[in-house]
Amino acid sequence: MKSFISASLLSVLALCRQTKAAATCGNFTIIGANNYTKPSSMTFAVSQGVVCNGTSDCSVPVGGDVTDRRTTNLTDSTPDWAFQLISNATGYSFNATLVGAVENTTYTIHKGSSGYIGFTPTYRCTQGILSACENKDLDGTPVEACTPFGWEEGMINGTLAAVLTSPETALALVCNPANTSLASSGNSTNFCINPSNSSSGSTTAPDLRAGAGLSNSVGTVLLSVSLLVAIIGI
Ligand SMILES: *[C@@H]1O[C@H](CO)[C@@H](O)[C@H](O)[C@H]1NC(C)=O
Ligand SMILES: *[C@@H]1O[C@H](CO)[C@@H](O)[C@H](O)[C@H]1NC(C)=O
Ligand SMILES: *[C@@H]1O[C@H](CO)[C@@H](O)[C@H](O)[C@H]1NC(C)=O
Ligand SMILES: *[C@@H]1O[C@H](CO)[C@@H](O)[C@H](O)[C@H]1NC(C)=O
Ligand SMILES: *[C@@H]1O[C@H](CO)[C@@H](O)[C@H](O)[C@H]1NC(C)=O
Ligand SMILES: *[C@@H]1O[C@H](CO)[C@@H](O)[C@H](O)[C@H]1NC(C)=O
Ligand SMILES: *[C@@H]1O[C@H](CO)[C@@H](O)[C@H](O)[C@H]1NC(C)=O
Ligand SMILES: *[C@@H]1O[C@H](CO)[C@@H](O)[C@H](O)[C@H]1NC(C)=O
Ligand SMILES: *[C@@H]1O[C@H](CO)[C@@H](O)[C@H](O)[C@H]1NC(C)=O
Ligand SMILES: *[C@@H]1O[C@H](CO)[C@@H](O)[C@H](O)[C@H]1NC(C)=O
Ligand SMILES: *[C@@H]1O[C@H](CO)[C@@H](O)[C@H](O)[C@H]1NC(C)=O
C-alpha cells in the first residue's frame, strides 16, 4: 500500500516538476558552508586493467582525460539559471561540464590482486537558499551545489585509488579508456576500444559501467516529497 502510494505520487510529481521548470528565482544566499570540497559520485578508469599475479607489486601507468559535470542535490536536471545565480553568489563558475586531464603518473596494484586505477574528481561545493522565486513553493529551498574544478590549466582535481575487480573484468579492460580521443573529446563512458585489433570493435567491462553511472536519485525523491508537501499542503 505504502509503496503504491509513493509510486503514483511520484509520477504526479514528475509532471509537477516539469511545469515548474519554467519558473525562476532571483536570489541565492549562501547559508552554511561555502567553497568546501567533497568527492564526486563518479569514478573513472584511468588505466588499463591489470592482473597482478606475479611475485611483486605492479606499477600501473595512469593518465588521460575525464569529464564530470556540475550537480545540485535537487533534481538531476537543475536549470542553468540556478547555477548562474549560485555562481554569482560564490564567485566561482559552475560550468555544465569540465573535461580535464589527469596527470601522467604510476600507481601500485599489489601482487595477488587485479583491477584498474580509478580517478574520482573532487568537487567544490556551496550551500544556500533560493529566494525571490516566481514560484513561491521554491522560496526558501535549501540547495547544495557542486562543481568539478581544475588545479592548473587543463587539469582536473581529484584522487586516484586502486579499484579491485575480478581477473576477468580486469582482462576485459584492454586499454585505458581515459587515454583515447573519445575521452579527450568529453566522452567518459569507460568505453574501451581494443587498439591492437580494430576489427574486434570494443570491449566494455561490465563492472565499470556500473561504477561510473551513479545517479543522484535519492536527492530527486526528497525534492519531490518536499514539493508535494508544498503543493498539497499535507
Ligand atoms: C537575497 O536574500 C537575502 C536573504 O533573504 C537578502 O538578505 C538579500 O537582500 C537578497 N538579495 C537580493 C538582491 O534580493
Ligand atoms: C595470471 O594468471 C592467469 C590465470 O590464472 C594466467 O593466464 C596469466 O598468465 C598469469 N599472468 C601472470 C603475469 O602471471
Ligand atoms: C596513452 O597512450 C599512449 C600511446 O597511445 C601511450 O604511449 C601512453 O603510455 C598511454 N598512457 C597511459 C597513462 O595509458
Ligand atoms: C550578482 O551578485 C551581486 C551581489 O554580489 C548582486 O548585486 C547582483 O544583482 C547579482 N547578479 C545576478 C544576475 O544575480
Ligand atoms: C575557494 O577555495 C580555494 C582553496 O581551496 C581558493 O583557492 C579559492 O580562491 C576559493 N574561492 C573563492 C571564490 O573563495
Ligand atoms: C600525458 O601523456 C600523453 C602522451 O602519452 C600526452 O599527450 C598528455 O598531454 C600527457 N598529459 C599530461 C597532463 O601531461
Ligand atoms: C540539499 O542540501 C541542503 C544544504 O546542505 C540541505 O539543507 C537540504 O536538505 C538538501 N536537500 C535535499 C533534497 O537533500
Ligand atoms: C568555465 O568555462 C570558462 C569559459 O570556457 C573558463 O574560462 C573557466 O575556466 C571554466 N571554469 C572552470 C571552473 O572550469
Ligand atoms: C588540486 O590539486 C592540486 C594538485 O594535486 C593540489 O595541489 C591542490 O591542493 C588541489 N586543490 C584542492 C582544493 O583540493
Ligand atoms: C560516447 O561514445 C559512445 C561510443 O562512441 C557513444 O555510444 C555515446 O553516445 C557517447 N556519449 C556521449 C555522451 O557522447
Ligand atoms: C580481431 O578480433 C576478431 C573478432 O573478435 C578476431 O576474429 C580476430 O582473430 C582478431 N584479430 C587479431 C589479430 O587478434
Side-chain angles (χ1 to χ4, degrees):
M1 187 60 181
K2 200 174 184 182
S3 64
F4 169 74
I5 289 176
S6 53
S8 52
L9 287 183
L10 284 177
S11 55
V12 170
L13 283 165
L15 290 173
C16 292
R17 250 207 340 263
Q18 276 171 12
T19 52
K20 280 170 184 295
T24 63
C25 299
N27 194 7
F28 174 83
T29 311
I30 295 169
I31 292 180
N34 179 34
N35 201 12
Y36 56 96
T37 58
K38 75 179 215 182
S40 168
S41 62
M42 309 278 276
T43 294
F44 303 95
V46 291
S47 78
Q48 196 172 325
V50 171
V51 178
C52 190
N53 54 0
T55 53
S56 53
D57 290 349
C58 298
S59 178
V60 183
V62 165
D65 298 290
V66 301
T67 302
D68 203 355
R69 51 193 316 112
R70 63 190 182 185
T71 68
T72 72
N73 65 347
L74 300 185
T75 68
D76 288 341
S77 53
T78 300
D80 191 58
W81 62 256
F83 286 108
Q84 281 175 18
L85 263 186
I86 293 167
S87 171
N88 185 45
T90 60
Y92 49 88
S93 51
F94 287 72
N95 292 350
T97 59
L98 175 64
V99 184
V102 175
E103 208 171 0
N104 290 318
T105 181
T106 58
Y107 200 94
T108 300
I109 287 196
H110 293 297
K111 62 182 174 190
S113 49
S114 48
Y116 59 93
I117 309 307
F119 177 85
T120 305
T122 300
Y123 281 157
R124 173 167 286 158
C125 302
T126 192
Q127 296 174 342
I129 289 182
L130 293 169
S131 61
C133 299
E134 284 170 17
N135 183 325
K136 292 302 160 200
D137 295 339
L138 286 176
D139 265 334
T141 303
V143 183
E144 180 187 57
C146 296
T147 183
F149 63 97
W151 54 275
E152 200 178 87
E153 196 58 46
M155 307 297 289
I156 180 170
N157 270 67
T159 53
L160 296 171
V163 179
L164 301 183
T165 68
S166 67
E168 292 70 30
T169 298
L171 286 173
L173 192 61
V174 295
C175 76
N176 172 358
N179 191 18
T180 61
S181 55
L182 205 57
S184 60
S185 68
N187 184 323
S188 284
T189 50
N190 278 343
F191 191 77
C192 198
I193 295 166
N194 186 340
S196 65
N197 185 349
S198 54
S199 67
S200 79
S202 62
T203 310
T204 308
D207 296 11
L208 283 172
R209 281 205 235 150
L214 225 77
S215 82
N216 193 13
S217 56
V218 173
T220 306
V221 170
L222 287 177
L223 175 70
S224 303
V225 171
S226 61
L227 283 179
L228 175 71
V229 171
I231 294 159
I232 307 185
I234 298 171

